[in-house]
Structures are given as C-alpha cells and as structure tokens.
Amino acid sequence: MNQKQIIVTGGGAAGMMAALFAAKGGARVILLERNEKLGKKVYITGKGRCNLTNAADMEAFQRNIFRNPRFMYAAFATLDNRGVMDLIEGQGVPLKVERGERVFPQSDKASDIIAALRRALERENVDVRLNARVRELVGEGGRCAGVLMEDGTRLSADAVILATGGLSYPSTGSTGDGHTFAEVTGHGVTKTLPALVPIETVESWPGMLAGLSLKNVRLSAFQTGGKKEKKLYSEMGEMLFTHFGISGPLALTLSSLLPEDLSQVRLEIDLKPALDEQTLDARLLRDFKSMSRKQLITVADGLAPHSLAEQVLKLAGLSPTMPTNSVTAPQRAALLHTLKAIPLHPKALRGYNEAIVTRGGVSVKDINPSTMESRRLPGLYFAGELIDVDAATGGFNLQIAWSTGALAGKSAAEV
C-alpha cells in the first residue's frame, strides 16, 4: 500500500492537530508554517496561559457556538474536549479546570502546550518546515495536488489541508491567505468581521471610567427600528469600561452577536440584576431614610463604585450634592431606572488586532462536515478559524480548531 503524502499549511492549533492525526493515520506529512515557530497565536491565548478547551459537556459546547454548530458534530466525535485533555496530559503536561469550566495547563504557560504538541509531532515523524510561505494551491486532474511555495518550489501531495487561520491578530500571521486560496479555487467565503472584540460606544463617558471593572451586572442589547424591538443578547457576568467604550467577557461575547449595522442597536447595563425594580426601590427608600441628611452621592456610593455612581446620577439628571431628603418621587424613579438600565449605544467594533477570533470565513456549504474535505475540489481539506464557525470565549474556539484539524487530518490520511 502506497503511503499518502499530505501537506498541512499553517502551524497553529488546527494545523498542528491536522498534521498529528494525518501522521497517526499512516501518512507522510509536511507541516508548513510561515512564522519562525509553531503555534504563535496559541502562545497568546488566555493572556499567555492558553485556555486550551472547556470541560463542559457537548450540549453546552453546541450552545456556545454562535454560527453553524451542527457542522461540528463529526469533528467533535473525532476529537472532543476530553480527547484533547488526554492528549496533552499524555505528553506530560498536567491540566487544571478553572471557573467557567475553562481548562489551562497547571503551569499557566502556553509554551507548555506548544511543547507537548511539538513532541507529539516529532514522535510521528512530521516534517515541520518553518519560515515556509505558500503562494498558491496546485490543481491537477480536477484535484488539489500540492502547493506552490513563495520561492517558486512546488510540493506535490495527495491531499492538502488548509489551516491558515482567520484575520484576528494579524501579527501572528493570520492575514487571510486561506480565504484567498479558497476563493481562487471557487469556494464561497462569507463576510468576515472581528469577533470576541471590544466595543466602541457613541457615548464618551465610559472613557472617564477607563479601567473600572464591574462584576455581577447584566449587559443587554436590543435591535431597534422595526415594528417591535428585538432582544439580541442579555447575560450576567463581568465587563470593563475602557477609554473607547466597553470590554470584558460580556462585551466580547456580545460583539459576536451584533449585526453589522450598529446604528439601530441600543445597550443597557443593569447594575443590580439580582433585584427587581420593586425590591431595589424599597432599598432606595431605606437608604434615603437612613441618610436623609447626607448628600445624594453618599447613597449612590452604596450602590456603585464612586466614579460610576457620579455618572449614574448625571444620567438620571440628578446632582451629586443635592440633599437626599429633597429627592422627589419622580427623581427617585429616574435614579431607579438608570441603575437598572444604564443606556449605551455601540458605534463600532475594534479591529482584528484586538479580535480573539474571526467571524465568517469559508462557507460550510462547500465543506463536507463528515470529513472536512472540499465539496468543490477533491483532495483539499479545511480546518480551524478560516471556516465559518465561531464560538464564545472560554476555550470553545480552540476546541473547534483542535476538532476540525483532527477530522481533516484523519480523513486526508484514509486511503
């Protein structure tokens, strides 16, 4: 039986896993990486700690995938989160599970994950070539038959796996080459946007609170302009004010769910999501009574950090220095409403330099979900972020990369 020759372009999470599974399937594998080292983007995930997957069950995984979750069934069946954890720990890297079921190396070093995968690739005799950039795909007889390198060298193969990444963090080499290769060979590429990215707001006041982190608040988004307002998002958690708007887990997740046109979207921050309006009003009345001789800011400081408390009063049309005992019922109602629904309006998403992942990509309609092979060009396979599948923060996107890479590698190696 002739041994298959497989080329994997891109040495990130998806590419490394694709190369590993192709080699385990008995193929001779060349892994081409344009950078000077493998896994350059993996190094910076989880703030350098590498949130490599999530320990949630597969039902939770499906709920956390924003676009095309059903496309992932076969990929997850090939390599799920437990499989990734076993693989890494099998290479001598102990893992830990933190809040939100996020999985990290115990060492908190992303470099340990890369080293583990590099050892696994070496063990399977994968030919890793660094500083190797692909110029174009080579087709022959209606199949993908290899690649043409930047220096003009042609490398022939029985199958090529594209795992070149999306557009996020272009400094790591994700500059959209894979999307170009896909389009040139007749594949559909859905519109790409930065995802899991901070949000710029129309309002400038968040800039005065830059660095202030909020916990246990609710961020909601609504689409306006239609006959009926539509709720796009509403979740409790953490967020952060920045010099341009908002960031933090809630804002990052929201960014992936916003429409491209932000002009008819409004946001609300509920500072007291655990209290309904009636309960919060009762608390305000108690506070007003116990602090009746003090300034209103004193009451507000008990409800929010001082800098935000001042802003809440301003948004409610109230003076921080007014005596608490002079607040009228309508003024108290305005304060109550603002505490439950601080208004904001998104102006723009930050760019790919700050985006954790890319939204959009190679259309799943052009990829066989059972194998990751192209429906348009036999012998070409896709894996990772360049596919139109993306998910919430928490290790879900890396798992998509590992799983699609594993299925592409396994399928490409099958004779």
Side-chain angles (χ1 to χ4, degrees), residues 199-200 258-266 345-349:
I199 301 169
E200 295 180 11
L258 289 172
E260 192 178 345
D261 178 9
L262 300 177
S263 64
Q264 294 187 319
V265 176
R266 67 178 186 86
H345 296 84
K347 181 173 69 176
L349 301 181

Side-chain angles (χ1 to χ4, degrees), residues 156-239:
S156 296
D158 297 295
V160 174
I161 301 172
L162 270 186
T164 51
L167 293 161
S168 60
Y169 296 123
S171 60
T172 64
S174 300
T175 52
D177 287 0
H179 295 146
T180 303
F181 297 151
E183 284 182 317
V184 167
T185 49
H187 298 81
V189 176
T190 61
K191 185 172 177 63
T192 55
L193 294 167
L196 299 181
V197 67
I199 301 169
E200 295 180 11
T201 57
V202 172
E203 295 82 358
S204 60
W205 62 258
M208 295 184 285
L209 308 181
L212 176 64
S213 180
L214 302 178
K215 293 184 178 180
N216 301 316
V217 298
R218 179 177 290 278
L219 179 63
S220 301
F222 304 87
Q223 176 111 45
T224 61
K227 288 182 181 178
K228 190 178 179 185
E229 192 170 73
K230 178 185 173 187
K231 185 181 284 187
L232 298 172
Y233 176 78
S234 187
E235 291 291 338
M236 275 181 64
E238 299 177 22
M239 60 174 289

